[in-house]
Amino acid sequence: MGVWNNLMNGLSGFRAGWLNADTLREQGQRGEFDAFNRWDARKFRYDLFWAFYQNNTFQAMSHAWSPSIKAQFGLYKNTRNIFCPGKRLGDFWGSYPYSGTFDAQAGDDGAAPILTDIPAVRPRIARLWRDSRWNIHSENWTRSGAIYGDSCLKLVDDPIRRRVTMKPVHPGHVKWFDKDHSGRVKSYIIEEQRYDPRRVPFQDINPILDPRALERIVTYNEECFIDGDEVVYRTFLNGGLFDWRKYSGDGTECAAEWRVPYGVVPLVIHPHQEIGLQCGMSEFHGFVSKVFEVDDMASGLGDQYRKTIRAPWVIFGAKPGDFKAPDYQHPPRNPMLPGYGQPDGGYPADQRGREQLNIQTISDPAGKAQSLVADLKGEDVGLHIDRINAEIERDYPELQMDIWATSDVSGRALREARRRVVTKVQGKRACYDLALADAHEIAMYIESVMGYEGAIKGVDQPEDPKIEHSIGPRAVFAPDPLDDLEEDAAFWDTANKAKVAGVPVRFFLADNGWDEAKLAKLDAAIAAEPKVVPAVKPAGDKTPIGATK
């Protein structure tokens, strides 16, 4: 049975367990124990979810598994991608975990506010962001995490340039990894396809050729694991040890296996949504069956309309030839069209098929015309599609249009509409913030051990208090000054009502979060205002105030 099952699974394109996050680990009874975390399962999910983002899930030319997906889910064979929200979701999560730009000084504002009492930490983080071009690559990191369910950050130690940079890595290239109890990676294996590094230099190739057309594809592997207080690296080409670095900083040839004097694996892997397994859950995971259902019905509905438009007709009581199309007259030749210089060239495309009817005739005296396509209640199908799309948007509040509406909407109403989105983003940010802070600490630790210029000295481990910091809270949506003014107006209107009701203003302000420093500033501002002295008339003067005598 095992051989037969493997054969059938290979023919069908994927296994059902690959999409099932088996948190109870009960699939082992069916020979699929830990299937969700396996490399082949992860690669399939990543490819499927990226197809959702590209909106080409059902294109067999792009994805060999597309026909088997249709068969496994019982979809119409001509199903096309029509309503998939993958692009919108992916772009949202690429932008909003770290909206805005990263502060050039790694201060306490910007896309990732750095909270620390150690002044030396900020310039090292700022340098890391700048060398990593993080204002560009951070979006790819968070977008990939939302789409795939897993995010990977590799710390690249460059002893030649004497610096460390952060590089997002596709989780599908991480063939294997394991973590310690604190969540740090202990070892990994990376596998990816690359061009053969032993190729002929492009300078020696005829420039009319595309050098890539002459390239050979090879398999690159990289192993990394901790051995005592050191980390061991090995690189392979097509399964054999091979040095991909070529030369070190002093010009000596590098080896395919080498050691570095820091005892931490420079790779950070974290889930987009933690579910208790080694791998996380994608933002797309919950809409798979609903999107398939919508695209299946929408494709069938569209095709039925096309059949209705192009439907053949049968005419009872007529003979062949009774309905003869007029002789076709070519439109004028166009000198801009191909073949204009040829006798039969330069004519626009023949589009008679858009005007002619497909008519069949039956010689029957009871003459009548009848379409050969059944009528379809398209409105009912459309309503069902709309209901499923509305359900998807309830599951994903970030897709709802009222979140983005800003015209003629009060600030309070807009905040209420966005509340679920803000709560969701803040919850998911926790994983990304922790992973980014871990990457910062690993980078500063490696810098210190390797003695790079400007590094904080004496850092013994990534958890060293000398580099302790965290990423602070920040707004999900950019504040709108008009909304702030509206909120301030409502606050002071309430304060005035409290005063009229007999509540001391200072008590009201303190009860609403004002500290003594802020209250003191208010007192000083009131004291600095010029006093308005009311005009006083001399005794016995009956002239109205302001009148000229």
Side-chain angles (χ1 to χ4, degrees), residues 61-79:
M61 291 292 290
S62 302
H63 307 290
W65 41 257
S66 180
S68 64
I69 281 282
K70 293 179 183 179
Q72 290 284 328
F73 283 86
L75 305 180
Y76 169 50
K77 68 176 183 179
N78 293 320
T79 299

Side-chain angles (χ1 to χ4, degrees), residues 108-126:
D108 55 4
D109 55 6
I114 300 300
L115 306 182
T116 182
D117 296 327
I118 307 165
V121 166
R122 296 188 188 277
R124 299 319 305 160
I125 294 177

Side-chain angles (χ1 to χ4, degrees), residues 47 51 54 56-66:
D47 198 24
Q54 295 187 106
N56 66 356
T57 311
F58 302 116
Q59 294 179 10
M61 291 292 290
S62 302
H63 307 290
W65 41 257
S66 180

Side-chain angles (χ1 to χ4, degrees), residues 38-50:
R38 292 180 183 177
W39 189 42
D40 50 1
R42 290 191 290 115
K43 286 197 298 180
F44 169 74
R45 288 202 306 275
Y46 301 154
D47 198 24
L48 173 65
F49 294 151
W50 184 252

Side-chain angles (χ1 to χ4, degrees), residues 105-108 114-126 441 444 454-459 461-470:
Q105 282 74 45
D108 55 4
I114 300 300
L115 306 182
T116 182
D117 296 327
I118 307 165
V121 166
R122 296 188 188 277
R124 299 319 305 160
I125 294 177
E441 292 171 351
M444 288 187 281
I456 300 173
K457 297 181 179 179
V459 178
Q461 57 182 345
E463 297 84 2
D464 196 305
K466 297 185 184 70
I467 55 176
E468 184 176 358
H469 71 287
S470 62

Side-chain angles (χ1 to χ4, degrees), residues 202-223:
F202 78 91
Q203 298 92 333
D204 299 335
I205 298 175
N206 190 323
I208 68 171
L209 300 175
D210 180 1
R212 288 185 175 83
L214 306 176
E215 297 275 16
R216 288 196 311 159
I217 309 300
V218 297
T219 300
Y220 168 85
N221 284 97
E222 177 184 317
E223 292 181 352

Side-chain angles (χ1 to χ4, degrees), residues 328 330-331 347-354 356:
Y328 179 66
H330 271 298
Y347 291 108
D350 182 357
Q351 299 191 16
R352 283 176 290 176
R354 301 185 63 181
Q356 293 179 338

